[in-house]
Amino acid sequence: MEDDKKEFSPDMNQKNVLPTEISSEMKRAYLDYAMSVIVSRAIPAIEDGLKPVQRRILYAMNQMGLKPGTQTKKSARIVGDVIGKYHPHGDTSIYDSLVRMAQDFSLRYPLVYGQGNFGSIDGDPPAAYRYTEAKLMKISEELLQDIDKDTVKMVPNFDDSTTEPDLLPGKLPTLMLNGASGIAVGMATNIPPHNLTEVCDAIIAYIKNPEITIEGLAEIVTAPDFPTGGSVSGDMLELYKTGKSKLTLRGKITTENTKGREAIIITEIPYMVNKSTLVTQIAEMVQSKKIRDISDVRDESSKGKIRVVLELRKGASSKFVMNSLYKYTRLQDSFNVNFLALSKGQPKIFNLRDVVSSYVEYRKTIITNRTNFELKKAKERIEIVKGLMIALKRIDEVIKLIRAAKSTVEAFDGLVGKFGLTKRQAQAVLETKLQQLTRLEQDKLKKEHDELSKRIEGLQKILSDIKEVLKVISSEVAELKKNYGDNRRTTFLQRVNDISEKDLVQKKEVVVTITEKGYCKRMDVKVYKEQKRGGKGVIGSNLATGDFVKQLITCSTHDYLMFFTTRGRVLWLKAYDIPEAERYSKGKALTNLLSLNEEQVTSVISLSNFEDSLFMATRKGIVKKIALTHFSKPRASGVRAINLPQDNSDILINVQVVKKGQEVLLATKKGQAIRFNSSDVREMGRASYGIMGIKMDKGDEVVSLEILDTEEVLTITKNGYGKRTKVKDYRKTSRAGKGVKNLKVSDKTGNIVTTVSVNPSDSIIITTAKGMAIRTTLKNIRVMGRATQGVKIVKLGPEDNVTDLIRFHENGNGED
């Protein structure tokens, strides 16, 4: 007891022990720890978009000279440098960060080039740091650029043995591009990556208009863009307004037919999903019969390419299996966005406008600091240059003074006193070598002086006007976009429910048929058998009495189909929305697919994009040109494409896509045709009627519009006669003329049905009123003059007649 009393005696030397209340001490210690985790570990800075460990790794690699174009060095050396100089924490955390910055499936724009095993999307761990090597990627230089020009604050490292940057100059908007995730104490961040092109465009738009709204920026930055592709859906406006939102990610699925069976192919997976775990999960769901109709699961992925094959049982519905995959596996995943970052060391939730404005404000500071540094250096140098120029101008006196001086100090004082040089100029003169006293050196100094003067003037201009600083930022961001910009990898969907067969149907060439009574279907183009001229053909459709195939279109299943009606309206469908049917099926009524109002579909065109223009022609010979951009936003109810007379005295007969400078051919049923340049018709709006294209005799009417992009024109008549004619035989005239003779129409030939521009290597399909479809090559049809009646192309049955034809371009193998 005596010893105990002695141990705790107040008389002992316990000057460092302070009395305190335990709860307040624990509170203070916990807050200190929390802030340390928030500021020094888990949360990135809004200024350069990096966490401290990432910043220290990049800075250490830069100091080690591990730049693009240099040799890689062992990761162990990098980790050792970072631990020893800047980040006194575990080597595992440093190496894990280094590895992640090198993984192209983790970062949208990797910052480190890794050589060796840096892990895989299957969750395979990277090799130990003694085996791998690394260096900086070229894009990382944009983060470190100008760090040696006093642009950022340098602070002492953990043991005051050296300094490190508080932030990097951050020319690259890293936080938006690569995102970030981290769990601190009481808060967490989860920022998705974005596309560099979109982010740069948003920054430039903000610089041009600082008052731009979040909605305006959200039209440029459409959605996150993940390195693993797939698709994303969610309320993007809420995300960019509040900095918080829940996104739904989906992998990309296609289908293939092999050996008569359908297979589902997974080619892209959601961000941060382990592919190996996903495949195992699918197999478990199949085994537990939660997912049915899958007979085999194979991972056929190769390096850099994902391919997981799910073979289906015969007769299984791929759409049902896909829905099951989305429901029961991580092929559909969620991403909870929390746009939390540090602004001047304080955690804050950012919206899109905040992020862009913070980047611009930080870059203003960096560019101002850089300009001041460069101005200081330029002024120091021009001072020296001026001194050398003065010395060279009076070189004999200078040499005499220096030779007469008893010491360097005396020579120094003499130069300052006699020639009026500054101390720095005098020192520079004394250090000048004899070889620099030549005439050539004088010229060099004069040139350098002029260049420095212009340089100083330019730098002072930047510092004197904030608009000049903004111009520099805009220029640098545009350069980033040019050097590193790429296309989006992730498809943006408005809602998950919007996913239709587009993401499920195999992309292939199909034939879409439209009948006179308004039935449509799609079929594989190969169902048509090629026949010689005069053949009996194959039955194209099992049509109702009096119905016949009116139009055939070849397109991709992913193309847009634009349906133009006789009343001048246009409606949209995707090609895959047209029901697939057998050759003998009549298809589905267009009235069940489109909003038709007592009108018929007169022309259907397929488009993969909305570029170029449309050229329209009416029965009365009126033509109209309109930019396709007017139709780039499909509406379910359709829009008016041409303003036809309300009395139904004229109808739209054909619409074609036309490029600038292409020629147009209008043909009439009585055998006239006119050829003119599409540039003769100016572009109009949707509300206009058009202008005269061809003048016709009474009783005649326009039956076809053709854009001339080939060598020949094929004309076919109602009774099956036809001929090929060289395009050059049709004399080119001005718009609104009567044209020239196209074909000698008689009772034997019947009126002209249509004309089509063709090449000699093309094939054609001819359809008849009885539903026959005959395919033949143009080699079987002779080239003839304009005024002839042609030859018999197809043998028609009783009371049958030709209704339409379509051409097919052949490739080198003779296939479409």
Side-chain angles (χ1 to χ4, degrees):
M1 290 295 293
E2 291 296 325
D3 291 337
D4 290 343
K5 288 180 182 178
K6 185 176 182 181
E7 184 179 351
F8 295 99
S9 171
D11 296 333
M12 296 185 64
N13 186 16
Q14 296 185 10
K15 295 179 181 179
N16 294 328
V17 177
L18 299 175
T20 184
E21 204 275 321
I22 191 167
S23 61
S24 60
E25 178 63 23
M26 289 183 67
K27 182 178 180 180
R28 184 190 62 78
Y30 186 76
L31 286 174
D32 289 347
Y33 164 72
M35 286 307 297
S36 174
V37 173
I38 291 168
V39 175
S40 303
R41 293 205 189 184
I43 309 299
I46 190 68
E47 291 86 357
D48 62 3
L50 299 172
K51 297 179 183 181
V53 66
Q54 295 171 325
R55 187 179 302 118
R56 287 163 174 168
I57 289 170
L58 295 176
Y59 180 68
M61 292 177 74
N62 186 62
Q63 293 298 98
M64 293 172 69
L66 298 179
K67 298 181 180 180
T70 64
Q71 189 176 356
T72 55
K73 288 187 180 178
K74 287 287 185 182
S75 300
R77 288 187 62 183
I78 300 169
V79 172
D81 243 39
V82 176
I83 290 178
K85 293 181 179 179
Y86 312 114
H87 199 72
H89 301 286
D91 59 344
T92 302
S93 64
I94 297 172
Y95 187 51
D96 286 349
S97 294
L98 176 69
V99 166
R100 192 172 187 276
M101 287 194 288
Q103 293 174 335
D104 59 3
F105 54 86
S106 293
L107 264 62
R108 181 64 177 81
Y109 300 93
L111 302 174
V112 171
Y113 171 79
Q115 185 168 297
N117 175 16
F118 274 77
S120 73
I121 200 169
D122 284 318
D124 300 317
Y129 54 50
R130 62 181 176 274
Y131 299 117
T132 61
E133 298 180 359
K135 64 179 178 180
L136 292 173
M137 293 282 278
K138 184 172 178 57
I139 199 169
S140 298
E141 291 185 318
E142 308 297 346
L143 275 168
L144 294 154
Q145 192 179 82
D146 302 321
I147 198 168
D148 56 347
K149 294 184 178 180
D150 294 343
T151 51
V152 294
K153 182 182 177 183
M154 300 298 289
V155 296
N157 69 336
F158 63 90
D159 63 356
D160 289 338
S161 61
T162 185
T163 58
E164 62 176 309
D166 188 37
L167 295 166
L168 295 186
K171 178 180 173 184
L172 192 74
T174 317
L175 192 59
M176 281 289 285
L177 300 186
N178 284 329
S181 62
I183 301 173
V185 179
M187 61 183 66
T189 185
N190 202 26
I191 304 169
H194 288 77
N195 182 267
L196 185 142
T197 300
E198 293 183 352
V199 173
C200 289
D201 286 341
I203 294 169
I204 293 170
Y206 174 81
I207 292 172
K208 289 181 179 177
N209 177 22
E211 303 302 319
I212 190 170
T213 62
I214 296 175
E215 289 84 355
L217 290 172
E219 290 181 3
I220 302 171
V221 183
T222 54
D225 188 24
F226 298 97
T228 53
S231 60
V232 60
S233 63
D235 191 340
M236 297 305 161
L237 194 55
E238 179 194 13
L239 163 62
Y240 294 132
K241 274 187 172 183
T242 66
K244 293 185 177 183
S245 185
K246 182 178 180 180
L247 305 180
T248 299
L249 311 183
R250 277 188 171 182
K252 184 177 179 182
I253 291 180
T254 59
T255 58
E256 289 182 5
N257 285 305
T258 55
K259 298 179 181 178
R261 292 193 179 186
E262 197 170 15
I264 293 174
I265 314 297
I266 301 173
T267 57
E268 295 174 3
I269 63 176
Y271 182 54
M272 299 305 290
V273 169
N274 184 310
K275 177 171 65 67
S276 180
T277 303
L278 176 63
V279 173
T280 303
Q281 189 182 28
I282 292 172
E284 289 173 352
M285 291 296 107
V286 172
Q287 193 172 13
S288 65
K289 302 201 182 295
K290 280 194 173 182
I291 300 178
R292 300 178 182 273
D293 296 326
I294 294 179
S295 61
D296 189 25
V297 180
R298 297 192 310 276
D299 188 356
E300 298 180 355
S301 304
S302 57
K303 189 173 182 180
K305 185 177 181 181
I306 293 175
R307 180 181 170 85
V308 178
V309 181
L310 310 177
E311 284 193 2
L312 303 184
R313 291 190 174 91
K314 192 171 182 180
S317 168
S318 61
K319 188 172 183 179
F320 176 79
V321 176
M322 291 172 186
N323 289 336
S324 299
L325 289 169
Y326 290 138
K327 182 176 182 180
Y328 297 117
T329 74
R330 289 192 69 192
L331 196 60
Q332 177 173 310
D333 204 16
S334 61
F335 189 99
N336 294 302
V337 180
N338 191 38
F339 217 114
L340 178 77
L342 299 175
S343 176
K344 298 180 181 178
Q346 298 297 316
K348 177 185 173 184
I349 299 288
F350 288 84
N351 61 38
L352 179 58
R353 195 173 185 280
D354 291 338
V355 175
V356 174
S357 63
S358 295
Y359 170 84
V360 173
E361 289 303 313
Y362 183 60
R363 288 301 295 169
K364 282 181 187 176
T365 303
I366 297 298
I367 288 168
T368 301
N369 291 347
R370 181 185 70 192
T371 306
N372 278 321
F373 177 85
E374 291 175 347
L375 181 61
K376 179 184 175 184
K377 291 294 182 183
K379 285 182 175 179
E380 288 176 354
R381 178 57 189 167
I382 202 170
E383 180 186 353
I384 300 298
V385 170
K386 286 180 178 177
L388 293 175
M389 290 174 69
I390 292 170
L392 285 175
K393 191 174 182 181
R394 302 170 64 181
I395 188 62
D396 293 336
E397 296 177 56
V398 169
I399 293 172
K400 184 178 179 181
L401 186 148
I402 293 173
R403 289 182 65 184
K406 295 179 180 180
S407 65
T408 305
V409 175
E410 185 179 336
F412 182 89
D413 293 339
L415 289 172
V416 172
K418 184 174 182 180
F419 299 101
L421 299 181
T422 65
K423 292 181 179 180
R424 295 183 67 253
Q425 288 174 334
Q427 187 63 39
V429 170
L430 289 174
E431 292 174 356
T432 301
K433 296 179 181 178
L434 289 174
Q435 65 185 31
Q436 294 178 276
L437 303 179
T438 63
R439 172 64 63 182
L440 181 63
E441 288 299 322
Q442 286 182 325
D443 295 339
K444 283 184 179 180
L445 286 172
K446 180 65 171 66
K447 184 179 178 182
E448 185 181 0
H449 179 272
D450 294 342
E451 290 174 353
L452 285 169
S453 298
K454 290 180 181 178
R455 175 72 173 154
I456 290 169
E457 184 181 350
L459 294 171
Q460 288 174 335
K461 184 179 179 183
I462 292 172
L463 291 173
S464 64
D465 189 353
I466 192 63
K467 291 181 180 178
E468 294 297 320
V469 176
L470 291 173
K471 282 182 184 178
V472 174
I473 298 173
S474 186
S475 173
E476 290 182 348
V477 170
E479 187 180 1
L480 283 176
K481 177 183 172 182
K482 179 182 176 182
N483 293 337
Y484 307 105
D486 57 1
N487 296 324
R488 287 186 62 88
R489 296 182 188 176
T490 302
T491 306
F492 168 53
L493 304 172
Q494 293 288 348
R495 298 185 303 276
V496 167
N497 294 337
D498 287 344
I499 295 178
S500 61
E501 283 187 294
K502 176 182 177 182
D503 300 302
L504 315 176
V505 174
Q506 181 184 3
K507 188 174 183 179
K508 61 182 180 180
E509 291 297 307
V510 293
V511 171
V512 176
T513 65
I514 314 290
T515 73
E516 176 65 21
K517 288 193 173 181
Y519 286 88
C520 68
K521 65 179 180 180
R522 65 178 165 94
M523 295 174 286
D524 195 305
V525 71
K526 294 179 182 177
V527 302
Y528 291 97
K529 296 179 181 177
E530 184 170 350
Q531 297 188 324
K532 299 294 181 183
R533 176 172 64 87
K536 289 288 185 181
V538 294
I539 300 296
S541 301
N542 185 19
L543 300 174
T545 305
D547 199 7
F548 59 89
V549 175
K550 183 181 178 183
Q551 191 170 359
L552 284 166
I553 304 143
T554 53
C555 62
S556 164
T557 49
H558 289 184
D559 285 351
Y560 267 107
L561 293 178
M562 295 178 70
F563 293 79
F564 293 86
T565 72
T566 50
R567 296 305 309 137
R569 287 202 312 139
V570 59
L571 301 105
W572 295 263
L573 279 180
K574 278 288 192 178
Y576 55 72
D577 288 330
I578 304 294
E580 189 171 12
E582 298 295 330
R583 189 172 63 193
Y584 298 99
S585 169
K586 69 179 180 180
K588 191 171 183 178
L590 280 173
T591 51
N592 294 329
L593 299 171
L594 301 170
S595 302
L596 297 174
N597 303 322
E598 297 181 356
E599 56 195 331
Q600 293 180 327
V601 173
T602 185
S603 184
V604 185
I605 62 173
S606 62
L607 291 171
S608 57
N609 56 62
F610 292 91
E611 299 174 356
D612 302 318
S613 301
L614 289 178
F615 203 92
M616 306 177 186
T618 73
R619 184 168 56 190
K620 285 190 172 183
I622 299 297
V623 293
K624 174 180 176 178
K625 188 166 70 172
I626 182 172
L628 265 167
T629 51
H630 288 286
F631 307 101
S632 61
K633 296 181 180 179
R635 297 183 197 170
S637 59
V639 298
R640 184 163 298 282
I642 182 172
N643 194 12
L644 295 172
Q646 295 297 314
D647 60 1
N648 295 337
S649 60
D650 197 7
I651 63 170
L652 185 66
I653 60 109
N654 203 350
V655 181
Q656 297 284 342
V657 176
V658 64
K659 296 181 184 295
K660 187 176 181 180
Q662 282 189 312
E663 294 180 346
V664 175
L665 184 78
L666 297 178
T668 73
K669 72 176 183 180
K670 296 298 183 184
Q672 290 297 111
I674 186 170
R675 171 188 166 206
F676 59 89
N677 198 303
S678 62
S679 300
D680 293 348
V681 181
R682 62 178 176 82
E683 287 195 348
M684 309 173 197
R686 289 194 294 108
S688 63
Y689 178 29
I691 55 179
M692 182 64 68
I694 183 172
K695 291 180 182 177
M696 297 173 289
D697 295 331
K698 189 175 181 180
D700 202 0
E701 61 187 44
V702 174
V703 293
S704 76
L705 157 70
E706 196 62 31
I707 305 301
L708 298 174
D709 57 354
T710 57
E711 304 171 15
E712 301 167 353
V713 172
L714 174 66
T715 303
I716 192 164
T717 69
K718 187 176 180 181
N719 294 338
Y721 284 80
K723 66 181 179 69
R724 288 157 57 197
T725 305
K726 295 288 185 184
V727 170
K728 63 183 180 181
D729 290 346
Y730 293 88
R731 180 168 50 85
K732 187 175 178 181
T733 64
S734 298
R735 174 188 59 80
K738 280 203 167 187
V740 296
K741 181 67 73 176
N742 177 27
L743 184 143
K744 187 178 179 182
V745 174
S746 64
D747 293 338
K748 177 182 175 183
T749 62
N751 288 332
I752 291 174
V753 174
T754 189
T755 60
V756 177
S757 63
V758 294
N759 286 316
S761 60
D762 291 347
S763 293
I764 58 168
I765 290 178
I766 302 168
T767 61
T768 73
K770 294 268 181 150
M772 303 293 289
I774 300 153
R775 181 167 177 171
T776 184
T777 62
L778 292 182
K779 297 174 184 176
N780 300 314
I781 304 173
R782 284 194 294 122
V783 177
M784 307 173 72
R786 287 188 295 101
T788 59
Q789 66 179 7
V791 295
K792 192 78 170 177
I793 294 179
V794 58
K795 293 178 183 178
L796 300 172
E799 299 181 359
D800 199 6
N801 57 268
V802 173
T803 58
D804 204 354
L805 67 82
I806 188 169
R807 72 171 180 179
F808 291 89
H809 291 298
E810 306 286 353
N811 64 20
N813 300 321
E815 298 177 351
D816 298 330

